[in-house]
Amino acid sequence: MRNMLIKGLVATAVLAALAGCNSDDDNSVATTCAEAGSACTTFTILHTNDNHGRFWENSDGEYGMAARKTLIDSIRTEVSKNGGQTLLLSGGDINTGVPESDLQDAIPDFTGMNKIGYDAMAVGNHEFDNPLSILDMQRRLAEFPMLAANIYRKNADGTQGERYFEAYKVFDMNGLKVAVIGLTTEDTIKIGNPEYVSDLIFTDPKVEVAKVIKEIKDAKAADIIFATTHMGHYADGQNGSNAPGDVAMARALKEGDLQVVIGGHSQNPVCMEPDSDNKAYAAFKPGDDCAPDKQNGTWIMQAHEWGKYVGRADFEYFNGELHLASYKLVPVNMRKLDDAGKKTADLAGAKIEPDAELKELLSYYQEKGQDKLGEVIATTDALLDGERANVRNKQTNLGRMLAMAQSAKVTADFGVMNSGGVRASIQPGNISYRDVLTVQPFGNMVTLNEMIGTEVATYLGAVASLEIGSGGYAQITGVKMTIDCVAKTATISDIGGKDFSPTATYKFTVPSFNAAGGDGYPKLESPIQTGYVDADLLYSFLKEKQMIVAADYNSVGDIVYENSKNVEGCKI
């Protein structure tokens, strides 16, 4: 059943190709592109999202910008031969995730995008992991517009000023004018580095997109309207602690106002289970068919992450209506997965040879600083789990190790680590400096904070009740407590191995990002900046330990969550 929608799309395209024009009846209305003839415009949207520094292929030869260029060039040639045009869009988050990219301010990634020929990108929240001067440099480097209709400069008096980026761009697709609006999650104000976003205002995308659509329509600037967004796709609009995403936006608009959303941020392949009435995801694996979401007449698409796939949507426009002829997520040298979800030796699609010229160019950046990044600083006897799907949904050994390392460094009573700051796992065996920077790429400071017991209980009640699945989900060590997920309160029995006292003074660590209110944490008024950068502290911790026994950091059941659908965290 899960392939039914895709097969239907393909069948429609086949029928269109086989049908002849009904030229005997001048009053007939074409029902296929073939019947419409020259009145039918065909074009293809290609898309990626959440690049996160992956300009280079991984150790298994998967993805990488050079192979992506070969694939995209091939599709462009095919589409052009059939009389169509292509538009290449990115759902944002070019920055943050791989040391070779992070150390070079994503210059290799934007350079690669230029060579591949991107037409536009949404601005992602991780574009604000660096000072605005770095973002402005990236804007100058990019040979395509960075779009975000809902990001404004803040005036000196705190009022809303001018937009920081272009709101939209109109593209001519064989005479058909297609407007592409850019939108960024309003969560950026809490998950972006407060130091870098404090002079900006992020408005509600649902409100902003309606405003821009009206502007486009009033100006008769386009025939159809798309959006490239970095807002996240949440099945059936169930966004939890995250800001509302693409589904909520599509449902908030008048049907027909927005034809397509090319998204990012949630880093999932948006492939829906047809039997679920678009309310549940299909169990997608590389090479599978993919049925995009459709809400209130709006197609919603997302191509997972890292350039693992190039999303391909083939459209036909006739009789004033847009039709999706076919859709697929084309794997970029991705390996097939077995029934247990493990990689096999077989590719999920045809082998794609990397573009030689681009690979040579990017190899310069890849090789830069390799000696330092490859330095072995410790070993671990087992996996240190920082997998996004795990660390944002339960206490993991890596999340707890980071919290413990930070609190121990400054002799604090307990440690708090946001799971959104844990960006990768560390595999068994040798641990390199590259691993450290991959796990913690943001360069946050560790802050030390003092509170009396009653204040600690209030703080932990707010932090530990943030819903699972979001980057705010807290990895906490040194505290035994029960969290009421409805009341958002903490009943603490023990801190630092001693009975809890509401009048005692306690010290704890939390990343500077969260101390400033990031991820929805309560803003701390006077955090002590320890001067320790998170990645440098982890580097020192590992180098001193030399040998990590992963089980030493496993969850010990210190936190109990009540009034929750999940025992690992709050889910109402």
Side-chain angles (χ1 to χ4, degrees):
M1 292 299 292
R2 62 184 297 271
N3 294 331
M4 186 179 294
L5 179 55
I6 289 296
K7 291 178 179 178
L9 291 172
V10 173
T12 298
V14 171
L15 288 172
L18 294 176
C21 286
N22 193 355
S23 57
D24 294 335
D25 185 358
D26 292 337
N27 296 320
S28 65
V29 176
T31 59
T32 67
C33 186
E35 288 181 354
S38 61
C40 178
T41 301
T42 62
F43 64 96
T44 296
I45 300 293
L46 304 177
H47 63 98
T48 61
N49 57 276
D50 293 274
N51 181 73
H52 286 300
R54 266 73 176 186
F55 68 88
W56 198 253
E57 63 190 39
N58 70 2
S59 58
D60 291 322
E62 297 176 306
Y63 51 88
M65 282 186 153
R68 191 191 311 173
K69 184 178 189 303
T70 298
L71 173 60
I72 289 171
D73 285 349
S74 173
I75 295 173
R76 282 189 177 125
T77 298
E78 173 204 331
V79 171
S80 179
K81 284 182 178 178
N82 291 323
Q85 283 188 274
T86 57
L87 194 65
L88 176 58
L89 303 174
S90 166
D93 268 9
I94 309 307
N95 288 273
T96 307
V98 173
E100 291 88 342
S101 173
D102 297 342
L103 290 171
Q104 300 174 80
D105 296 326
I107 288 174
D109 307 88
F110 280 96
T111 299
M113 291 176 74
N114 287 340
K115 295 297 184 182
I116 292 170
Y118 277 76
D119 293 296
M121 66 168 274
V123 176
N125 58 285
H126 283 289
E127 269 61 88
F128 297 95
D129 290 341
N130 304 302
L132 292 183
S133 59
I134 299 299
L135 177 55
D136 289 340
M137 175 276 292
Q138 294 172 344
R139 292 174 70 179
R140 292 191 297 270
L141 175 60
E143 297 172 0
F144 47 86
M146 300 172 72
L147 304 175
N150 65 314
I151 303 178
Y152 290 84
R153 297 178 187 272
K154 185 184 294 182
N155 292 324
D157 61 0
T159 58
Q160 183 173 299
E162 297 179 345
R163 283 193 176 104
Y164 198 74
F165 299 92
E166 291 180 77
Y168 67 93
K169 179 80 172 178
V170 178
F171 298 90
D172 189 320
M173 308 297 287
N174 281 332
L176 182 71
K177 291 182 180 179
V178 180
V180 178
I181 304 170
L183 294 158
T184 305
T185 175
E186 57 193 307
D187 266 351
T188 305
I189 199 63
K190 72 175 184 180
I191 61 178
N193 191 318
E195 183 180 353
Y196 306 142
V197 299
S198 59
D199 291 331
L200 300 173
I201 293 174
F202 296 80
T203 61
D204 184 343
K206 298 190 300 297
V207 174
E208 204 69 40
V209 72
K211 185 192 306 182
V212 178
I213 287 172
K214 183 178 186 303
E215 177 185 336
I216 293 169
K217 286 186 171 182
D218 288 348
K220 295 181 171 56
D223 300 302
I224 53 177
I225 303 175
F226 286 16
T228 181
T229 71
H230 193 83
M231 294 166 53
H233 182 278
Y234 309 107
D236 198 29
Q238 301 301 306
N239 55 288
S241 294
N242 300 287
D246 296 328
V247 172
M249 179 179 69
R251 290 175 175 176
L253 292 169
K254 178 183 176 183
E255 185 171 353
D257 275 358
L258 185 64
Q259 279 73 39
V260 179
V261 172
I262 301 297
H265 185 50
S266 50
Q267 296 180 226
N268 55 325
V270 176
C271 304
M272 310 306 293
E273 180 59 59
D275 290 343
S276 72
D277 193 28
N278 281 347
K279 291 184 177 180
Y281 295 117
F284 177 83
K285 291 182 179 180
D288 283 355
D289 292 333
C290 177
D293 197 1
K294 193 172 189 180
Q295 298 287 336
N296 197 29
T298 301
W299 292 104
I300 305 175
M301 305 166 179
Q302 188 177 157
H304 200 182
E305 62 186 2
W306 304 355
K308 293 176 178 178
Y309 308 90
V310 171
R312 174 179 178 170
D314 295 304
F315 288 103
E316 300 170 346
Y317 183 81
F318 58 93
N319 293 340
E321 294 183 353
L322 185 69
H323 304 267
L324 179 60
S326 64
Y327 183 75
K328 62 181 72 174
L329 291 182
V330 186
V332 183
N333 290 334
M334 295 295 293
R335 302 288 185 88
K336 287 183 178 179
L337 302 180
D338 61 22
D339 292 338
K342 294 184 178 181
K343 288 183 184 179
T344 69
D346 299 323
L347 292 179
K351 169 68 176 175
I352 302 169
E353 293 298 331
D355 180 84
E357 184 177 345
L358 181 55
K359 187 164 186 176
E360 182 178 2
L361 173 61
L362 294 178
S363 67
Y364 163 77
Y365 298 105
Q366 178 66 10
E367 293 166 7
K368 203 172 182 181
Q370 286 294 301
D371 290 343
K372 180 63 177 174
L373 291 174
E375 176 192 359
V376 175
I377 55 177
T379 59
T380 175
D381 67 339
L383 177 76
L384 294 169
D385 188 1
E387 183 68 27
R388 178 188 177 103
N390 295 332
V391 78
R392 297 191 181 204
N393 288 279
K394 63 182 179 180
Q395 304 289 300
T396 73
N397 53 14
L398 181 54
R400 286 172 50 78
M401 187 181 79
L402 295 174
M404 292 170 72
Q406 292 174 9
S407 60
K409 184 70 175 179
V410 294
T411 320
D413 297 295
F414 65 96
V416 178
M417 179 68 208
N418 67 314
S419 59
V422 187
R423 305 305 291 187
S425 296
I426 297 178
Q427 301 298 319
N430 290 337
I431 304 173
S432 69
Y433 184 36
R434 179 185 291 104
D435 295 321
V436 169
L437 292 176
T438 303
V439 170
Q440 294 203 291
F442 300 129
N444 284 307
M445 291 287 183
V446 176
T447 70
L448 180 63
N449 306 270
E450 280 193 13
M451 290 182 179
I452 63 170
T454 53
E455 294 172 329
V456 168
T458 299
Y459 181 79
L460 289 177
V463 168
S465 62
L466 291 170
E467 192 160 324
I468 61 172
S470 73
Y473 177 78
Q475 303 281 328
I476 301 172
T477 60
V479 183
K480 292 182 179 180
M481 62 181 172
T482 298
I483 298 297
D484 187 321
C485 294
V486 173
K488 300 184 185 302
T489 58
T491 302
I492 304 172
S493 61
D494 182 292
I495 289 183
K498 299 178 181 178
D499 289 343
F500 172 72
S501 168
T503 58
T505 298
Y506 297 99
K507 296 180 180 180
F508 67 94
T509 52
V510 67
S512 57
F513 165 74
N514 304 100
D519 266 340
Y521 282 43
K523 185 176 181 180
L524 300 174
E525 294 302 322
S526 304
I528 300 169
Q529 301 292 338
T530 65
Y532 296 117
V533 176
D534 53 10
D536 292 342
L537 190 153
L538 177 59
Y539 173 89
S540 300
F541 174 83
L542 292 170
K543 197 161 188 176
E544 181 179 343
K545 289 283 186 182
Q546 290 290 299
M547 179 61 196
I548 300 297
V549 178
D552 289 348
Y553 305 96
N554 287 347
S555 176
V556 291
D558 283 348
I559 307 174
V560 176
Y561 299 91
E562 292 184 340
N563 295 320
S564 173
K565 295 178 181 177
N566 193 304
V567 297
E568 299 285 356
C570 287
K571 186 173 180 61
I572 307 302

